[in-house]
Amino acid sequence: MEQKKKKEEDVLVVRDEKTGEISVVAGLDGKGYPKRIPPKAEHSQEFLRFDRHGDAIDNFFRNFYRQCKEPTRFGFYRVAADMVEALLPVIKDLLRDPAANAELLAPHKVDTSAYQQAEEQQTTEEAKKENAETETEEQQAAEEVKKENAETETEEQQAAEEAKRENAETETEEQQAAEEVKRENAETEAVEQQAAEEAKRENTEEDNVEQQTNEKIEEMKQENLEQQPQAAETQAVQGQEPAQDGQPQAKTQRPNLIADGDVDWKELERFGVKRENLSEKDMKALMNYGKTNLVTVNPTFGGDSYELQARLSFQKTEDGALKLTPHFVRHEPRLDIPHNGYTFTDEDKKKLKQTGNLGRLVDVADTKTGEMRPSYISIDRLTNEIVDIPASKVRIPDRIGLTELLKPEQDILRAGLALPKEVTLKNGHKFEAVLQVSAEKRDVEFVPEYLWQGQSQRRGNGQEKKQQSPEAPDAPGQQQKEAGSQENGQRRNRSWTNEDGSIRPIGKWKDDIFTEQQKADYVAGKTVVLANAKDDQGQPCTKYLKFNREKGRPLTYSENPDLAQTVAPSNESRTQLAVNNEGKTNEATKHLKEPLTQGQTAPKDDAQHKQQTKKSKGMKVS
């Protein structure tokens, strides 16, 4: 019975069409690729076995086509489980020339076209369902807009009627006032006319002289009026000629990275998109390995045509040919499944949904080689597609517009973090922005204002509560201003973090100028050694600086906070700080009048030895 059962079981032999490697299937890995093991007897327990009369093999191929990124890379052949070791050399020889040995391989060849077609059909149905939901939402939004417009029209109509009534009342009042003015003017004219007649009779000669003078002035005015249109006309003609001569010449455009002759434009038409219907901006992006904006495509699946929204791009295949790739609109990004070997944490999902960028470097697998590389991850805000790009392929610029980026700021961007920055463009326009690397744009981008403006208070708006701080650092773009005397140490509190919660870089702490490594350690939340620190008595000592997340600011320590719980601190400054800062007594120096210096635990000269000869009890520093 056992032998009969073995004859009814098959195993799958898989051939990697890219490498020619032949092995036995042991299952699927995390990315949906076949797990492959050598066809040896010692591995027989790991072979994935299928009952010839069962449906386990159907489940295997459905999962394979659902998960694997390149299913056509592999060819599958069924072989009896108890004959796999004997038949494998024969199949290897036959697969050296599959076309010539097609008839011999046919009984073992697994036809996977049905599984591939089923997966494509399911993908199309999901896309169609998502588009239907989107259309429903858009229709509801349109109804709401229509309703709001109707209400607005009603309000405007009521306002127009009120304005009409007010205008009618105003016209009536103005008409009455005009009639009164008319009556007053008539009376005034009569009085003036009588006075003019009297003056005319009294000053006949003077009137004649004035009349002649007035006539001369009127003639000169008339001549000027006739000459002004001609002068204006002449100036207009003269003003047009320089404008025509000084028209800017068209800028020389750089050639596209993809030549027209390298593109199969019929492939574009198979998606229902005509070249002439694409905008100039979309064509520029498409011919330089970028993505177009959203366009309507009409792909055909199973003989049926579907109208979908997608972005288009060209990608090179392994043989160097150009392939048109549609990036269909997804209902939402698939953050619940691993992306090229990386699994998103809850914090990752929150960051991606807030800004569209992961905000840090993570290891992502190369889809061709499987190599894990530090990469940036972002979401295409138009399609919800998750995209990544290796950090080595992104250039961090030295300046944005007219604004120079300092080395610490470049390091922040290089780490994937967001950088709030006041930017001045080449046209002089100045504004507040948040800069961050975008994997989708393959460059540093301005994070859209609506995504970051509401998350935290914009830089420069108001002040936080004042806090006690004996020391304050010098940070780029900030000024220290005392709000009281230096004795009480009360200073204006500043923001020690960026708008995304990351630690804002500083360049020094009092007399300690930071090296590039110390700047990077501080931003990373590590401890920085302050070799030039001073105690409360002004004596040199060694302190430690570290950003405290709970208090939201940097704190100084007399002992290394990273080692305090496991390693006893050095006595170099321990005794000094205990005596000078905390008021404790050291038995060996309790009678000294001067503050202890760095590393001092006993009298340092004859004068101090004499001071120490007095006997007195004190608390010994342990």
Side-chain angles (χ1 to χ4, degrees), residues 495-594:
S495 175
W496 297 98
T497 58
N498 296 312
E499 295 187 3
D500 63 350
S502 60
I503 301 173
R504 178 170 292 176
I506 60 176
K508 60 179 290 189
W509 186 273
K510 295 207 93 175
D511 296 331
D512 280 271
I513 306 298
F514 287 3
T515 64
E516 293 300 325
Q517 183 60 48
Q518 287 177 315
K519 294 176 184 178
D521 289 344
Y522 175 78
V523 171
K526 298 180 181 179
T527 299
V528 176
V529 179
L530 303 176
N532 299 319
K534 294 181 179 179
D535 62 20
D536 291 351
Q537 303 297 325
Q539 296 297 320
C541 66
T542 299
K543 290 186 180 180
Y544 302 89
L545 178 73
K546 185 176 182 180
F547 190 87
N548 187 297
R549 284 288 183 186
E550 294 181 357
K551 295 187 177 182
R553 63 185 179 90
L555 298 179
T556 55
Y557 304 85
S558 59
E559 302 172 2
N560 190 332
D562 295 337
L563 306 177
Q565 297 179 353
T566 57
V567 181
S570 171
N571 281 331
E572 178 187 6
S573 299
R574 182 175 172 219
T575 302
Q576 173 194 1
L577 292 173
V579 174
N580 292 355
N581 289 9
E582 302 173 18
K584 293 184 179 181
T585 304
N586 178 34
E587 188 68 24
T589 61
K590 64 181 181 180
H591 295 300
L592 301 184
K593 298 179 181 179
E594 299 86 358

Side-chain angles (χ1 to χ4, degrees), residues 401-456:
L402 298 178
T403 303
E404 182 179 359
L405 294 179
L406 303 177
K407 181 65 167 58
E409 294 173 327
Q410 291 178 313
D411 292 340
I412 290 174
L413 292 174
R414 193 171 286 108
L417 299 172
L419 175 66
K421 183 77 173 174
E422 184 179 71
V423 176
T424 302
L425 300 181
K426 292 183 179 179
N427 60 7
H429 179 54
K430 184 183 296 185
F431 59 94
E432 293 285 339
V434 172
L435 306 175
Q436 194 170 30
V437 172
S438 167
E440 193 275 319
K441 293 182 172 62
R442 307 170 71 88
D443 201 350
V444 175
E445 71 163 355
F446 292 111
V447 177
E449 187 174 2
Y450 70 90
L451 294 176
W452 60 264
Q453 193 175 34
Q455 293 181 25
S456 59

Side-chain angles (χ1 to χ4, degrees), residues 182-290:
K182 189 176 181 180
R183 286 195 298 270
E184 291 176 357
N185 289 340
E187 296 174 356
T188 302
E189 286 178 359
V191 173
E192 290 178 351
Q193 188 175 6
Q194 292 175 355
E197 290 178 353
E198 291 177 0
K200 186 177 181 181
R201 285 194 300 269
E202 293 174 356
N203 304 301
T204 303
E205 294 180 358
E206 293 181 2
D207 288 344
N208 291 335
V209 174
E210 289 179 1
Q211 184 176 2
Q212 292 174 358
T213 304
N214 290 337
E215 289 177 356
K216 186 65 176 177
I217 292 173
E218 289 297 328
E219 290 178 2
M220 294 174 64
K221 286 183 179 180
Q222 187 64 29
E223 291 178 0
N224 290 336
L225 289 175
E226 291 176 355
Q227 292 174 359
Q228 283 176 1
Q230 296 176 357
E233 193 176 75
T234 303
Q235 291 173 359
V237 173
Q238 293 174 349
Q240 290 173 356
E241 291 177 355
Q244 292 174 350
D245 295 339
Q247 288 180 353
Q249 298 179 355
K251 294 183 178 179
T252 304
Q253 295 185 352
R254 296 181 179 178
N256 294 327
L257 297 178
I258 301 175
D260 286 1
D262 296 337
V263 178
D264 181 7
W265 296 107
K266 292 183 179 179
E267 184 181 12
L268 192 69
E269 294 181 1
R270 281 196 290 271
F271 281 91
V273 179
K274 293 185 178 181
R275 175 182 179 181
E276 56 268 20
N277 292 340
L278 292 176
S279 67
E280 182 179 351
K281 183 178 180 181
D282 284 341
M283 282 296 299
K284 190 69 176 176
L286 192 62
M287 301 303 287
N288 288 278
Y289 293 104

Side-chain angles (χ1 to χ4, degrees), residues 6 29 102 105 175 199 210 464 481 515 604:
K6 287 182 179 178
D29 62 15
L105 290 171
Q175 190 174 9
E210 289 179 1
E464 299 176 358
K481 293 185 178 179
T515 64
K604 63 181 180 179

Side-chain angles (χ1 to χ4, degrees), residues 66-125:
R66 186 178 301 113
Q67 300 176 27
C68 186
K69 299 292 185 182
E70 42 184 354
T72 57
R73 173 178 169 178
F74 303 96
F76 296 91
Y77 302 86
R78 295 180 67 152
V79 178
D82 55 352
M83 297 292 292
V84 63
E85 192 169 358
L87 290 177
L88 190 62
V90 178
I91 291 180
K92 281 185 176 180
D93 291 338
L94 294 176
L95 287 175
R96 290 176 180 173
D97 191 356
N101 301 315
E103 293 184 4
L104 297 175
L105 290 171
H108 301 281
K109 177 70 174 177
V110 179
D111 184 6
T112 60
S113 60
Y115 302 109
Q116 181 178 359
Q117 186 175 1
E119 179 60 24
E120 291 177 349
Q121 186 173 1
Q122 183 177 356
T123 302
T124 303
E125 290 176 355

Side-chain angles (χ1 to χ4, degrees), residues 406 409 421-422 459 474-480 494 504-505:
L406 303 177
E409 294 173 327
K421 183 77 173 174
E422 184 179 71
R459 191 193 325 175
D474 293 333
Q478 296 179 323
Q479 295 180 346
Q480 302 176 18
R494 301 173 298 172
R504 178 170 292 176

